[in-house]
Amino acid sequence: MTAGIIKVGMADFNVTKHPGVLTTLGLGSCVGITLYDPLTKVCGLVHIMLPSSKAIKNNSNLAKFADTGIPLLLEEVLKLGASKSRLVSKIAGGAQMFSFSNKNDIMKIGERNVQATKEVLGELKIPIIAEDTGGNFGRTIELYSDTGILLVKTIGHGMKQI
Amino acid sequence: MGISIEELNSMQIDVLKEIGNIGAGNAATALAKMLDRKIDMNVPKVEILEFKEVAELLGGAEVPVCGIYFRVEGDISGSIMFLLPLKSSKVLANMIMLKEDESEIFDEIDQSALQEIGNILSGSYVSSLSSLTGLSIKISIPSLAIDMAGAILSVPIIQFGQVGDHVLLIETEFHEDKNDVKGFFFLIPDAESFEILLKSLGVLQ
């Protein structure tokens, strides 16, 4: 369990296999998407910031967007030996950290990120077997390659395994 | 669409830095008036940083911080975030409430005191921006969150993320007697507004 914790930054991704652990710290409106193959114990984690790369001029960083980050992560776990038919996904994040009475698009970015994530995973036919999304608080997540368990830590909202 | 931070030339960056200086100076004066105390301020540091570097500045993505967030509307639209390490938040709340509480617990009164401080600091910041540019700019009621630095920062960073991979950050340090308060201002014009802002300052054709 303690071997090599790999940190994934914002708009970044990484992959590993048993016994590695992948983590991303302080997810707010961003969404952390994990892919896991229970047989080969290959796993991957991407930390996306925005739903779509299409509306944005500066979109060279594929890991920043749900529509490009998830396919990129898929490609990388397959390279490491995962089988697409066995892959399962868990997602966390997509909170709304600040609330305003007049809700504009930018404030609902967390919700839009979660929605886009589900659409992309749906198109890729990867089942989402667990999620911890929404709310108004931050999350740190850790994905354990030996079991596929995703540990979600918060400040003041407890800790859970999904 | 708009211009991104990466495309700015050194003169444009200098002008934005200077605005940061003036705005933070006004904010410190407003704070001194509100508390009726002498407040000293260091020369603010104005930096353009990569996303990853910002959380490190605050001690890491998991460190709890206090964020006060405003929407900006008028001739330009965007957001302002005023971010304080927890210790500094407590010092400020104590100054306003005239108490000496060492804990890291923020009750409702502490939170509304911090919102009010955020309001005054951001208001004076925006009014100096408004008088320098001749633009009419208004700010919304503040919204406050105390949570992991990464989670709070994700809000302004996502907004910057639509125009580039860097953020413009103003770091200010206030001192009152032996109390040090460190605070960070993020000014985040929406994509289209960045151009309006630079044009009104005469540094973009």
Side-chain angles (χ1 to χ4, degrees):
Chain A
M1 292 269 280
T2 51
I5 292 193
I6 303 164
K7 262 194 208 177
V8 176
M10 193 176 260
D12 197 6
F13 76 98
N14 215 324
V15 292
T16 187
K17 52 180 151 185
H18 184 71
V21 177
L22 293 168
T23 185
T24 195
L25 310 177
L27 281 167
S29 326
C30 299
V31 176
I33 299 128
T34 70
L35 295 179
Y36 181 63
D37 175 349
L39 190 73
T40 56
K41 299 194 189 300
V42 168
C43 61
L45 170 63
V46 64
H47 181 150
I48 62 110
M49 283 169 53
L50 290 162
S52 169
S53 62
K54 298 199 175 72
I56 285 165
K57 184 173 66 169
N58 189 334
N59 58 7
S60 55
N61 182 0
L62 298 180
K64 196 155 123 181
F65 309 95
D67 66 337
T68 50
I70 299 170
L72 170 73
L73 185 67
L74 173 62
E75 205 177 293
E76 294 297 320
V77 291
L78 295 181
K79 270 189 211 161
L80 210 62
S83 156
K84 182 159 183 265
S85 59
R86 283 192 302 260
L87 281 178
V88 289
S89 176
K90 294 183 180 181
I91 64 175
Q96 184 178 333
M97 300 304 297
F98 296 93
S99 55
F100 285 97
S101 48
N102 61 332
K103 285 179 183 157
N104 57 22
D105 274 3
I106 198 75
M107 296 315 298
K108 281 190 280 187
I109 194 78
E111 202 181 308
R112 284 167 51 213
N113 277 335
V114 172
Q115 200 183 351
T117 295
K118 288 181 178 173
E119 279 168 21
V120 175
L121 286 168
E123 278 161 25
L124 295 169
K125 302 196 169 52
I126 299 171
I128 300 170
I129 57 164
E131 69 171 291
D132 183 37
T133 58
N136 62 351
F137 51 89
R139 296 168 172 90
T140 282
I141 57 172
E142 290 171 10
L143 178 69
Y144 291 87
S145 62
D146 51 350
T147 54
I149 283 174
L150 187 68
L151 186 66
V152 182
K153 298 184 200 168
T154 66
I155 293 179
H157 293 84
M159 176 152 71
K160 61 174 157 183
Q161 291 187 354
I162 64 169
Chain B
M1 228 171 88
I3 175 170
S4 77
I5 292 177
E6 287 88 346
E7 295 166 41
L8 297 181
N9 62 37
S10 63
M11 188 177 68
Q12 290 164 336
I13 291 170
D14 282 346
V15 168
L16 289 175
K17 284 186 175 179
E18 190 49 30
I19 286 188
N21 276 336
I22 296 168
N26 280 6
T29 310
L31 183 65
K33 270 192 197 149
M34 178 187 183
L35 298 171
D36 195 19
R37 299 185 203 198
K38 189 172 175 293
I39 305 276
D40 294 318
M41 188 189 74
N42 287 5
V43 176
K45 269 186 262 173
V46 183
E47 290 173 288
I48 291 174
L49 294 176
E50 257 192 276
F51 294 155
K52 316 169 193 155
E53 299 170 305
V54 184
E56 294 311 314
L57 207 67
L58 292 154
E62 266 191 308
V63 172
V65 297
C66 171
I68 306 162
Y69 190 68
F70 303 84
R71 279 296 299 169
V72 175
E73 261 132 40
D75 291 339
I76 57 169
S77 62
S79 337
I80 290 182
M81 179 174 276
F82 182 50
L83 210 139
L84 294 158
L86 275 201
K87 211 176 150 198
S88 295
S89 314
K90 202 70 203 186
V91 170
L92 275 179
N94 284 347
M95 276 190 205
I96 298 236
M97 306 312 299
L98 302 171
K99 59 179 184 179
E100 285 186 27
D101 175 7
E102 303 271 317
S103 77
E104 287 201 343
I105 297 160
F106 293 84
D107 60 23
E108 263 179 48
I109 295 171
D110 288 337
Q111 296 200 13
S112 62
L114 288 170
Q115 273 179 334
E116 193 45 35
I117 290 177
N119 221 348
I120 286 164
L121 295 182
S122 304
S124 54
Y125 184 86
V126 162
S127 72
S128 71
L129 186 63
S130 179
S131 58
L132 282 167
T133 56
L135 298 170
S136 144
I137 313 169
K138 277 183 286 208
I139 59 170
S140 71
I141 293 166
S143 173
L144 178 131
I146 295 172
D147 211 310
M148 299 173 186
I152 287 188
L153 281 166
S154 72
V155 177
I157 285 176
I158 283 174
Q159 285 180 270
F160 271 113
Q162 320 211 353
V163 278
D165 282 308
H166 292 74
V167 296
L168 178 81
L169 170 85
I170 301 152
E171 182 182 351
T172 50
E173 240 175 282
F174 302 124
H175 311 277
E176 185 270 337
D177 198 8
K178 59 187 185 307
N179 294 317
D180 287 348
V181 176
K182 194 186 266 201
F184 301 85
F185 267 108
F186 297 82
L187 175 67
I188 315 142
D190 291 345
E192 326 74 71
S193 296
F194 213 37
E195 227 171 291
I196 301 172
L197 181 63
L198 290 171
K199 275 183 184 156
S200 69
L201 292 163
V203 287
L204 186 74
Q205 289 304 307

